[in-house]
Amino acid sequence: MTEPLDVTALLSELSLAEKAALCTGEDFWNSVGIARDGQVLVPAVMLTDGPHGVRKQAEDADHVDLEGSVPATCFPPAVALGSSWDPELVHRVGVALGEESRAERVGVLLGPGINIKRSPLCGRNFEYLSEDPLISGVLGAALVRGIQSQGIAASVKHFAVNNQETDRMRVSAEVDARALQEIYLPAFHRIITEADPWTVMCSYNRINGVYASENSWLLIDLLRGQWNYPGLVMSDWGAVRDRVASLRAGLDLQMPGGGARPVDAVIDAVTAGRLDPADLDRAVERLLRLLNQVLPAVTQGGSYDVDAHHALAREVATDCAVLLKNEQDLLPLDPANAGAIAVIGELARTPRYQGAGSSLVSPTRLDVPLAEIERTVSGSNTVTFAAGYPIDETGDAEALLAEAVVAAQGADTVLLFVGLPPAAEEEGFDRTHLDLPADQLALIDAVAAYNDRVVVVLSNGSAVALDGWQDQVSAVLEGWLLGQAGGGAIADLLFGLAAPSGRLTETIPRRLADTPSYLNFPGEQGQVRYGEGIFVGYRYYDARQLEVSYPFGHGLSYTSFDYRDLRTTVTGAGDELAVEVSVTVSNTGQRDGKEVVQVYLGQPGSYLQRPARELKGFAKVALAAGEATEVTIRLTAPDFRYFHPGKDRWVLQGGDFTVAVGSSSRDLRLHAGITVDGEYVGPELTADAPFEDWLADPIGGPLLLKAISKDGPFDVAADRMMLPTPLRVIANFPGAPITPEELDALVVAANG
Ligand code: BGC
């Protein structure tokens, strides 16, 4: 076991040049080590991607050389992991990722990615968990805790407001304060305060004009000041433009490194008095503390059980796939009585199980759905295969389609694998539409014309349009990208060896034109305006009362669940508010299953506009057929607050809230109303505020009425036009009931 570094001693011992060197990487994947006279003073540490597997490249490989990393378990990417709605399961994945990192002597695993899915077009949505900040934060925290339980640092990325790939290294996300606080930052905040990630990675983009890597509001005022974050902030790879400016703004470690220029720039800036040496010392101190956190595990190393991790990847994948539709309970199929099964679609033979880019893992092995289905079906039942379409530009689409039609005609049931080909979604690019490739759409039409028992299995890293084809098929299993063991998980689900329990963490819209960011994605001329504000995902579809293909939270199982006895208990007020929401859930079907109980809050009378409902709590419960259980979800003050941009702080406005509990954001089974104590929130009382705002205020209203009733009672109703008129305008009228001087005194008194 290595001795911990003596941080205080090192800070006084290290030279300016050594300190400057430490704050930039050694190369693509390692931090700088410092040795003197053959003695290691500060060891180096390796950082690698992340997030759903360890992508450790050869020492000399660069960033763009994405192939050829050491074998590692490819767990389901975030798009799938999110759909599990299961923090315990996600924690286990984190533990496994930590073990593999340790075995590879990697000190920092670059993940999780927790950016909000603002548009289904974002090319990197497969690396992100949800359109909702609560689920992103809860599952992100579980992953971080798991990874770090093994002595390996997680790196929560990409901080912040990195929601598209188009122009990602430059674009300015123009986002208002409320959307920032309520949608784009809470997952980071939750993870930082609940899971203590040892590192955070800042994003490439600008936020309201300022690069994240140089954004002192983001990295110092908010992260350090308000959130008390003690860990290290590193840059995304290449996100630093000006090393000195970034250090000053709180960016501790620039990655990658490899050149003398940034180091010299820091030395020069300190020498010339342009950079406070304390800024440099703070960054070095955080790096040294990180080394103390990870070096014991990295030095010790370890090994992991490849088979057990593969089995875990399969278990997790099984809980991530989402059964969207299952007419006449076509699924599950009986493996002993399935008849003639036609498996159609190249994706059944050449699975897509992860996305392309920096997260690309070399899997330890790969389960192929077709082989797993063949293995599962028993007795005299048969499985035939037809590719149906080419997965890339090569291949004779027409001939493949004709062959698939023949297979469909002769089959009792068709298992039709369609989805996005690898080139359709990857890091660095956004999609431009939501459709499946045209040859796959033609295949669905053709197959469905000859067989009325068609089950579609989807492989895609982000929502695709289902409108126009899903009515022709009986069942749809959204398989997302399920990781290296997804093939086995799909076979288990189709044949009932496991029950589907995944739920959507992103809405599946009917059309691209319905999506919240449609008019503002991906922006132009270096800017993207977040015009939909807080109305992201289901918050938007609900506000617009738009039909969607499948709502946020949706997912079927092979059984049914009943909800009854909703009870709410409110205790405390303001910051001490606590609300318990209890409900009894029973499995009313014939099979075991898992239900995700979701609790949504709304505040119809809030002073500032709020979404009709927002997810504030959830619990995944396993129930055997016939079993019932009471589920209790605890809400606290932050769940009730909204961000008030005028006051520049969160407010808990007292009043009535709606509590809705159910199986999806649009399958709400039980409702209750509660009243909570909180602050009064109303218009600001200034001299320029209108008469009616003053009247409505519990303090300002009586004060105003008293002031203007000096010469007898003032009849407000007599002059409606007065109501929207600013008090200052009224005070300036000849013969007004209040003078400008009295008004100034009134403003002071009302704001006491
Ligand atoms: C990605 C990060 C990744 C890093 C290192 C960047 O391009 O945005 O998510 O961790 O490269 O590969």
Side-chain angles (χ1 to χ4, degrees):
M1 190 58 87
T2 45
E3 281 296 303
L5 303 174
D6 184 339
V7 175
T8 318
L10 277 169
L11 279 174
S12 61
E13 243 174 72
L14 291 168
S15 68
L16 170 61
E18 287 167 333
K19 288 180 182 174
L22 279 172
C23 295
T24 295
E26 170 71 31
D27 52 28
F28 262 92
W29 306 116
N30 294 284
S31 69
V32 161
I34 307 269
R36 280 194 208 152
D37 309 325
Q39 278 286 97
V40 175
L41 225 58
V42 179
V45 71
M46 184 170 209
L47 311 84
T48 74
D49 291 299
H52 50 264
V54 180
R55 186 174 69 91
K56 181 184 172 184
Q57 291 186 279
E59 301 289 323
D60 54 349
D62 71 11
H63 187 224
V64 280
D65 178 15
L66 295 174
E67 309 287 337
S69 49
V70 300
T73 310
C74 178
F75 289 98
V79 59
L81 208 53
S83 305
S84 74
W85 290 68
D86 189 341
E88 277 172 42
L89 198 67
V90 173
H91 183 269
R92 285 168 61 204
V93 173
V95 171
L97 289 170
E99 282 174 3
E100 296 196 18
S101 304
R102 197 163 67 173
E104 295 296 345
R105 296 181 192 267
V106 163
V108 184
L109 190 68
L110 305 176
I114 57 158
N115 297 93
I116 293 293
K117 301 186 194 207
R118 175 177 177 244
S119 165
L121 297 179
C122 172
R124 229 174 159 182
N125 274 358
F126 64 86
E127 274 190 75
Y128 302 143
L129 291 158
S130 179
E131 68 188 22
D132 178 83
L134 177 73
I135 185 114
S136 303
V138 170
L139 297 186
L143 204 65
V144 169
R145 276 195 219 100
I147 294 169
Q148 296 194 166
S149 71
Q150 300 307 301
I152 302 300
S155 193
V156 183
K157 66 190 190 182
H158 309 89
F159 192 54
V161 208
N162 173 195
N163 311 97
Q164 66 186 54
E165 292 300 281
T166 306
D167 206 11
R168 68 170 166 156
M169 300 196 178
R170 195 181 54 137
V171 74
S172 176
E174 300 291 310
V175 56
D176 67 67
R178 197 166 165 209
L180 196 56
Q181 296 281 352
E182 292 188 24
I183 303 292
Y184 296 101
L185 294 175
F188 288 101
H189 180 237
R190 180 180 291 275
I191 297 173
I192 280 162
T193 48
E194 293 182 4
D196 184 25
W198 295 341
T199 80
V200 165
M201 182 193 292
C202 85
S203 57
Y204 287 121
N205 53 285
R206 290 177 287 159
I207 301 152
N208 295 325
V210 185
Y211 280 97
S213 62
E214 293 176 16
N215 200 318
S216 61
W217 172 79
L218 184 75
L219 302 183
I220 296 179
D221 301 354
L222 182 82
L223 187 63
R224 308 289 183 193
Q226 294 179 33
W227 297 357
N228 292 319
Y229 178 61
L232 173 131
V233 178
M234 72 181 76
S235 69
D236 197 344
W237 266 230
V240 170
R241 299 157 64 255
D242 176 335
R243 185 62 190 113
V244 173
S246 66
L247 250 176
R248 212 181 276 128
L251 191 277
D252 305 314
L253 177 64
Q254 173 186 17
M255 286 302 293
R261 194 171 298 150
V263 180
D264 291 345
V266 170
I267 298 171
D268 291 350
V270 172
T271 313
R274 281 181 288 110
L275 178 66
D276 187 345
D279 287 339
L280 179 60
D281 275 10
R282 259 192 297 274
V284 173
E285 185 180 341
R286 290 185 192 126
L287 178 76
L288 297 175
R289 282 209 309 257
L290 171 68
L291 293 175
N292 276 341
Q293 286 165 315
V294 302
L295 282 174
V298 172
T299 317
Q300 195 184 15
S303 61
Y304 67 95
D305 182 337
V306 176
D307 294 335
H309 283 195
H310 185 76
L312 174 62
R314 180 170 177 151
E315 180 192 341
V316 175
T318 311
D319 269 28
C320 293
V322 184
L323 182 61
L324 296 176
K325 148 174 189 168
N326 190 19
E327 273 174 7
Q328 274 124 41
D329 292 338
L330 176 59
L331 293 176
L333 304 171
D334 179 354
N337 214 2
I341 303 262
V343 175
I344 297 177
E346 184 60 54
L347 285 163
R349 181 172 62 179
T350 314
R352 236 191 112 220
Y353 57 96
Q354 63 175 330
S358 61
S359 65
L360 194 85
V361 174
S362 301
T364 56
R365 70 179 62 149
L366 181 60
D367 284 357
V368 174
L370 176 60
E372 297 298 323
I373 290 167
E374 285 168 341
R375 209 192 313 282
T376 307
V377 167
S378 56
S380 58
N381 303 291
T382 58
V383 176
T384 53
F385 173 73
Y389 52 85
I391 197 76
D392 50 27
E393 299 307 305
T394 63
D396 182 345
E398 252 177 64
L400 291 172
L401 186 132
E403 187 197 357
V405 166
V406 174
Q409 278 172 318
D412 292 312
T413 306
V414 175
L415 301 177
L416 180 53
F417 285 71
V418 292
L420 294 177
E425 50 182 354
E426 61 181 292
E427 180 178 343
F429 305 89
D430 292 318
R431 284 187 296 161
T432 53
H433 62 81
L434 295 180
D435 297 326
L436 291 173
D439 48 13
Q440 295 189 26
L441 292 172
L443 175 70
I444 299 173
D445 277 352
V447 165
Y450 288 98
N451 196 305
D452 58 5
R453 285 170 57 88
V454 178
V455 176
V456 164
V457 180
L458 284 167
S459 308
N460 45 300
S462 183
V464 294
L466 313 180
D467 244 32
W469 60 260
Q470 69 153 331
D471 289 348
Q472 303 169 47
V473 303
S474 302
V476 181
L477 181 67
E478 174 55 270
W480 300 125
L481 306 176
L482 284 179
Q484 68 178 45
I490 288 171
D492 287 349
L493 291 168
L494 294 175
F495 291 93
L497 306 176
S501 68
R503 303 287 187 266
L504 295 178
T505 59
E506 60 192 285
T507 309
I508 303 187
R510 295 191 62 181
R511 314 177 302 157
L512 180 60
D514 290 345
T515 58
S517 58
Y518 181 63
L519 295 175
N520 293 298
F521 187 94
E524 53 195 2
Q525 298 200 304
Q527 291 197 332
V528 50
R529 209 166 64 80
Y530 283 37
E532 68 285 1
I534 56 170
F535 292 95
V536 174
Y538 65 91
R539 290 165 167 80
Y540 176 83
Y541 300 109
D542 287 351
R544 294 279 323 278
Q545 298 178 358
L546 285 175
E547 264 186 53
V548 298
S549 287
Y550 291 102
F552 176 85
H554 171 78
L556 303 174
S557 119
Y558 291 151
T559 184
S560 49
F561 298 97
D562 173 67
Y563 285 65
R564 64 189 150 82
D565 300 337
L566 173 62
R567 269 167 300 118
T568 54
T569 320
V570 182
T571 50
D575 289 348
E576 304 307 316
L577 177 68
V579 177
E580 268 194 12
V581 180
S582 302
V583 66
T584 302
V585 182
S586 17
N587 180 343
T588 50
Q590 306 300 316
R591 289 171 165 268
D592 300 352
K594 291 180 189 167
E595 173 68 330
V596 178
V597 179
Q598 303 163 36
V599 175
Y600 295 85
L601 277 187
Q603 188 179 23
S606 70
Y607 175 61
L608 293 187
Q609 188 186 26
R610 296 191 81 169
R613 67 191 64 86
E614 297 182 271
L615 182 75
K616 294 297 176 183
F618 62 91
K620 190 168 192 174
V621 285
L623 290 173
E627 196 189 350
T629 191
E630 189 182 54
V631 176
T632 299
I633 288 167
R634 290 178 180 80
L635 307 177
T636 56
D639 297 318
F640 292 81
R641 293 188 187 127
Y642 59 85
F643 188 81
H644 192 304
K647 298 180 189 292
D648 193 27
R649 65 175 172 85
W650 292 86
V651 297
L652 197 172
Q653 180 182 349
D656 297 338
F657 283 79
T658 55
V659 179
V661 181
S663 197
S664 88
S665 60
R666 292 205 174 167
D667 181 9
L668 299 165
R669 308 287 182 83
L670 299 169
H671 300 263
I674 55 172
T675 305
V676 307
D677 283 342
E679 65 183 290
Y680 166 80
V681 182
E684 218 190 330
L685 297 185
T686 62
D688 283 313
F691 201 89
E692 60 196 353
D693 282 4
W694 276 83
L695 284 183
D697 190 88
I699 295 171
L703 286 177
L704 173 64
L705 284 177
K706 191 167 160 220
I708 60 179
S709 303
K710 296 186 297 285
D711 306 323
F714 190 82
D715 183 5
V716 181
D719 190 351
R720 275 186 64 215
M721 265 175 57
M722 191 122 133
L723 291 175
T725 308
L727 280 193
R728 191 193 301 280
V729 174
I730 295 171
N732 283 334
F733 281 145
I738 188 166
T739 65
E741 293 72 27
E742 287 167 344
L743 176 56
D744 289 340
L746 185 70
V747 170
V748 173
N751 289 294

